[in-house]
Amino acid sequence: MTLPSVYQHKFAEKLTILNERGKGVLIRLYNIKKTCTDPRSKPPFFTEKTMESCIKYVNKKFPNVDMRSSTQHLGPVHKEKADIFRALTAYYQTFVDVLEFRDHVYELLNTIDASQCYFDIHLNYDFTKNYLDLIVTYASVILLLCRIDDRKALTGLYNCTHEMIHGTSDPSFPRLGQMILEYENPLRKLMEEFGPHTKVGVSFGNVGSAVCSILIVARSVTCMCSWYGQMEEHWEAVSNALLSLHFLFARRNHSADQWRSDQLFSLISNPAGMLAPANSDTACAIVDPSQILKLATLVGFLLCHSCLGSTQSCLDLWRAALRGSLYITLVRDEVLPIHKVTEEAFGSIKGYGKRIADIKECKEHALTHRMRTYLDLKSSLFPPHQVVYVFMALSFCRDEVTWLCRHSEHVSKAKNPEDFSDSHLAELLFLMEELRRLLRRYQNLLQRYCVQYLSRFDALVLSDIIQDLTVCPEEESVIMSSFVSSLSALSVKQVDEKTKFEFSGLRLDWFRLQAYTSVNKAPLQLRENPDVAKLMNLIIFHTKMLDSVEELILETSDLSIFCFYIHLLEKFFASTMEEPSMLRYALAFPLLCADFSHATHSLCPEEVRMQWDPDGEWYPHLRSCALGLCNNFLEEIARQASSYILDTCAEQRNLSEQLLPKHCAATISKARNKRARKAASKKGEVERDKPGAESHRKDRSLVTNLDKLHLMLTELCWTLNYVPSFLVFEHTVTPAEYLSSQLEMRLNRALVRLAQASPGSTELARPSEVLAGVQAYATFLVSLMHRVGLDTGRLLRNVLLQQTQPLDASGEQTLTTLYTNWYLESLLRQASMGTIVFSPGMRAFVNLPKEGEPTFSAEEYSDVSEMRALAELLGPYGMKFLSDNLMWHITSQMVELKKLVTENMDVLVQIRSNFYQAEQMAVLLPRLTAVENVLKRMTIIGEILWFRSLAQEGLQDVFTNHCPFLMGPIECLKEFVTPDMDIKYYIIFLFSSKP
């Protein structure tokens, strides 16, 4: 093949476009599979009874469904043809995309084979990686296509409705139907396509009709036969590309202990080289996920298996890949049980007994594989010239997480569950997030370093290498000269001015140059000039540090795969919340939900709009899935944090309660007895600890309940305070707000419980005791401001304001309702019965001495201090509610008095006329009815008015204490303003007068 034709083939562009297109087709197939698997989301006519016979008929006759002779079988389809055609259009076009994708892959692989290209990941990294990615993507598309059980019904019904509406079948259907039939056994067909020439020649005649249609549409017969004739060369190209992965694969599959012994991530292992830049000949390749390496290796050797018997290095690499995993990912949560599939595929090939034995041995090794111990990343402090290690660490950690994810979900439950679980997963996820956050924070520093490195070192070295080339065609010379000029023009000033760098064109040119120089007969051979490849690979990595840091972070640490393992992620989160040492890393799970947006693809936009199912199941989701999970995780973290906060508040309230005046009586009595030298009581009473005794410890290892609560609370507050906010699908999430809302709801209930003496009792605690408890709660909550970014002032104002209303925001009772009902139903009711009376001297209600113990002491609830405490708790709104209820009761008593007056109206009129006549009064008074009732009701009114007066005095005292400068003018107005004075002018005069 001539060199100009190599330029015209545009391998770089085609590989880039086809790989991206293949990923999109793969996502669409996945979407179809999930949609058709769930009865609730599949097309509605697939679940109708009347359509069952039609679907069976189409599946049976596929692809040769004769519309003219099958009217009786397709009657229901004819009735709903328009709806069926509209519903199946997107599905059918996806299958057509698969057909077109296969044709383009065939054509490109044919052209690459004809050009006799060679592949080496260390030299032509982009060319090799994209070549292997294309093969893996193509195989994944075919395998996933065959997992769609309704593929025949979807395409067959669409073609039937198309013929019913347009009078002819769809032009793509004959080839599409033939392709679906060919891949009934997808692996066998793929192995035939990628196998050596002799085996492909056998299968050529079996698929003659499909080949002929492909020849007509895609390429000429000569080109197609040439492609099959060159499969041996294609096999060699694939095997060489895979063998170049051997070094990378071996290093990536060491244990963490081996990495530690090699001090892979240690900066101080070689003090003399600490200032030397961490360069690598394969800087871009070393950060590739090992999952991609395993997938390429296993799928590549599965399709091109002949090299396993001829090349020992191929066999060693294949065995190493089989030992690493039981499952490899095709796309998202669709996995391939590689040992089972490979054993079934090789079982039908004669002479592969040794290979099957190797598979079984490797499978046993994989079953005993335990998750490698994590690297210690907490102490990693990497300078800019060592940043490659950060990306390596992210990539290695992501490998461990995805391995755990795949195997925890798909491995049989009969296996040892400890092999597929890890209690420290949250810490690893958190450290990954920390590394990503540091990379984003110091991106400017990385840019300054890389700009200087590119302009002052890379450009100079590249210029010298170009001048030393013995052969350099014009096209390659122009490209490499543009590299030097682009790099030399960089300066630190561009970073300071925040210039947006763009090197995608330079990277594409290097990709083109790899393709030009990887052809067998190219004048400039890249394998003969490895220095160019090594330097350019390093330059490409440095350019990514300037304009693609976010993309590189995503490439090395994306965990959007958890979007398709929802239950597993929830399980990991639940185990994290049960492990105290992992609580500080719990925020890693909500932060992980932000990665779900990276699972979307432009060819499948409808996934983003799927909604949460009210039954609790996740449809193909993404947006609603990410937001729902993030919300659930943060609510659970906030729920536990608020629980620990309120438990700590309760402990602080218990300590505060020890300082209440009622507890000092025993201490005073003991001191008086000691002073009077009286003998101590012999009743064996337990001596009460003095307040503060809990702080005296002989051994610090003795941990109290309060210590445990503080420790747990510190961990949870640390995780909630890690980031102020983050984005999930363009929604800003603020973790501290979840704690605020949870705490507000729970604090309302906690304050109500403070007032209740016991859960089943109707008695309430004294207002002064409740106020002391509220103050203890408030004091501790204010101290939270030092631990978490929470506006505790706003929180307390909201909660206490809600307690001044009859019902809180949740519709539950408040302190205002409880105390209003209790004073009306308990204290004032007993006062109306005569067991409690008002004492003007004490300014309180007191109990009358009677037989039996009273249920409560009235003066302890109605004296001046208690009324002030009640006013503090209920506030002006609550006291107004109490006053309104009191006045309502007075009004009801007045209504009853009015009824009594009406009943005795005649007698009362006569009494008034004869009030000074004793004889008439003696006769009239006995005629009055319900005299005792009148006196009783008047007494009730008086008691209520006295209690209302006490409450108002308490509120006035509180107001005077809290806002004296406001109460002063009000008292002045009350004292000097008379009813006949114009109040408006007096207020103007009062506030405009000078002191």
Side-chain angles (χ1 to χ4, degrees), residues 60 151 168 222 279 284 292 405 428 448 467 475 497 504 513 538 567 636 734 761 777 819 883 922 933 935 947 949 965:
K60 181 179 179 181
R151 59 188 182 279
T168 181
T222 304
N279 294 331
C284 296
I292 295 178
C405 189
L428 182 64
R448 293 180 65 88
Q467 293 176 5
E475 184 74 18
E497 295 176 352
S504 58
L513 188 60
L538 183 61
H567 298 298
E636 179 60 22
T734 307
S761 174
Y777 272 59
Y819 275 108
S883 179
N933 195 2
L935 294 176
F947 180 77
S949 176
F965 296 104

Side-chain angles (χ1 to χ4, degrees), residues 54 62 77 92 218 366 418 455 817 857 916 954:
C54 302
F62 185 88
V77 176
Y92 184 81
E418 294 182 358
S455 61
T817 304
S857 176
Y916 296 103

